[in-house]
Amino acid sequence: MSGHLPEQALPNWRCAVLKVGSNLLAADGGGLTDRYAVALAAFIGASHAAGRKVVLVSSGAVAAGRALLREHAPAAGDLAARQALAALGQAPMIALWQSLSARPVAQVLLTHDDLRNRRRYLNARTTLRGLLTLDVLPVVNENDTVAVDELKLGDNDNLAAIVAALVDADLLLIASDIDALYNADPRRDPQAAPIAHVGVLTPEVLAMAGGSGSVVGTGGMRTKLEAASKAAAAGIPTVLFSGRDAATVEALGHDRLHGTLVDAAATRMQARKYWLRHAPAAAGCISVDAGAAHALAGGRASLLPGGVAGAQGEFQRGDLVEIVDAGGKAVARGLCQYAAGEVRRLAGRHSRDIEAVLGYSYGNEVVHRDDLVALETAGGMTA
């Protein structure tokens, strides 16, 4: 299908995140194979030789674990089985990439909590940057062995976008078994045409990926576009390409693309604001009155005690919280300067009363504007 796509230049980059899905690493019904990984590893090696840095986000651990157990493998439908298979398959998945890399390979497992907690988020950032400085190839995956359903990142496409922001990457590369975004499902519609360039990820463009029940949606095109949206918000362009076409992969090493290029936003969001927007989940919720909701929607105001109507959850000082209006609609996210019980006691009060009510003060703001981001985005999409 890639022959229908025009060749285009890759954006300039010095550091990239490459996401490789399990459909490129797992043989049909079997374990891991290097059939497509060889070309991808060669691209990584060539990039390193050219003075560039690559972080690899790799799936395949569950498939590898299932293959090791063969006929004794449990069905992967329940969480406990998936956790066990992931634990078993991590070692062979890392071994596959090490066998194809001339450089040392380091495994980095991230969880939802690592990205929700600001300190651990920054620790992960420091680790990844340190590995790149040492010319080590980081191989990142979600830590399925300890994740639970309500705390899972969900897919490695979105994880790759978060990692791209973590390391200040210039480019997000997503390799799959489909060579581009199409205006319809190419597996069902012979008239479906590939789209070489996406300027803005509008709802109409997202609809081209199909719903969760479609073949393309099930295959992950929807999550790839969601990842591209997250990357775009951080000023990082995304390319979607076929990891099964050796010529396409080789061309990437010459900065040529046969696939879909998704542009970045015009300006790069501050790294702190980006984390606030895309951290997987908040620790609690603060409800605000109409005046505060209107002020916070602009992204330039702090949340003061007087605008607080209540607090849900048992979050602590410094935790990420979601801020909702009277109707329950999320209007902002931010790092709260007070614990949930303290916020409830301060609700509706004036800032000057904080010390009198609590006996101490961490500042006049419940959430400072420097630690807050509005949830409205271009194109009507939310975080």
Side-chain angles (χ1 to χ4, degrees):
M1 289 187 289
S2 58
H4 300 293
L5 288 159
E7 183 178 85
Q8 55 185 315
L10 276 182
N12 293 328
W13 67 278
R14 302 303 300 172
C15 178
V17 170
L18 170 62
K19 186 266 177 176
V20 179
S22 57
N23 52 10
L24 297 176
L25 299 177
D28 295 337
L32 298 181
T33 172
D34 65 2
R35 178 179 179 184
Y36 304 116
V38 169
L40 293 164
F43 163 73
I44 295 173
S47 299
H48 178 252
R52 290 168 161 173
K53 300 184 182 299
V54 177
V55 176
L56 179 62
V57 175
S58 177
S59 303
V62 173
R66 185 181 298 111
L68 285 175
L69 290 180
R70 301 178 187 272
E71 66 271 12
H72 302 295
D78 66 276
L79 180 62
R82 183 175 179 85
Q83 289 173 324
L85 292 174
L88 185 62
Q90 288 291 348
M93 188 266 286
I94 290 296
L96 170 67
W97 289 113
Q98 184 62 82
S99 71
L100 299 173
S101 174
R103 290 182 292 149
V105 166
Q107 182 182 48
V108 180
L109 296 176
L110 295 176
T111 67
H112 175 288
D113 283 343
D114 295 326
L115 303 176
R116 183 178 68 176
N117 181 284
R118 180 66 182 172
R119 184 183 63 184
R120 289 162 67 179
Y121 175 94
L122 293 176
N123 286 343
R125 175 186 178 98
T126 300
T127 297
L128 287 168
R129 285 182 163 183
L131 291 171
L132 292 175
T133 299
L134 294 171
D135 286 333
V136 171
L137 172 62
V139 180
V140 181
N141 199 358
E142 182 170 8
N143 195 350
D144 285 318
T145 61
V146 297
V148 295
D149 278 338
E150 64 270 21
L151 292 181
K152 283 182 64 60
L153 293 163
D155 62 83
N156 275 348
D157 292 320
N158 280 288
L159 174 60
I162 296 171
V163 170
L166 263 177
V167 298
D168 291 326
D170 307 302
L171 186 64
L172 173 59
L173 300 149
I174 300 181
S176 74
D177 57 347
I178 299 175
D179 60 343
L181 170 67
Y182 281 73
N183 61 4
D185 186 344
R187 295 165 177 170
R188 295 180 177 179
D189 185 353
Q191 302 302 315
I195 299 172
H197 180 243
V198 175
V200 179
L201 279 167
T202 63
E204 291 74 20
V205 173
L206 275 176
M208 295 177 186
S212 59
S214 73
V215 174
V216 176
T218 301
M221 185 54 71
R222 179 84 181 192
T223 63
K224 289 170 177 54
L225 293 187
E226 290 171 352
S229 176
K230 288 180 172 62
I236 303 169
T238 299
V239 298
L240 312 174
F241 68 96
S242 172
R244 293 187 173 184
D245 189 305
T248 294
V249 177
E250 183 180 2
L252 290 175
H254 301 287
D255 291 328
R256 310 305 298 175
L257 169 65
H258 295 274
T260 298
L261 170 64
V262 181
D263 285 344
T267 59
R268 181 180 289 271
M269 186 183 294
Q270 294 178 348
R272 189 174 183 83
K273 297 286 187 177
Y274 177 84
W275 176 79
L276 291 170
R277 182 184 297 277
H278 293 295
C285 181
I286 296 176
S287 53
V288 298
D289 60 27
H294 178 75
L296 295 175
R300 297 182 179 179
S302 297
L303 175 59
L304 303 177
V308 173
Q312 296 77 47
E314 295 303 325
F315 52 87
Q316 302 300 314
R317 166 172 156 80
D319 280 350
L320 175 66
V321 297
E322 196 161 76
I323 302 169
V324 302
D325 62 17
K329 178 184 176 182
V331 296
R333 301 176 112 197
L335 300 179
C336 194
Q337 297 202 94
Y338 293 90
E342 296 167 332
V343 173
R344 295 186 188 105
R345 294 172 63 189
L346 295 174
R349 300 273 192 164
H350 196 282
S351 294
R352 64 172 172 262
D353 298 329
I354 291 177
E355 188 162 1
V357 172
L358 299 179
Y360 51 85
S361 174
Y362 295 126
N364 292 333
E365 305 85 5
V366 174
V367 181
H368 193 278
R369 63 177 177 270
D370 291 344
D371 294 327
L372 182 145
V373 63
L375 292 183
E376 295 179 358
T377 63
M381 295 178 61
T382 56

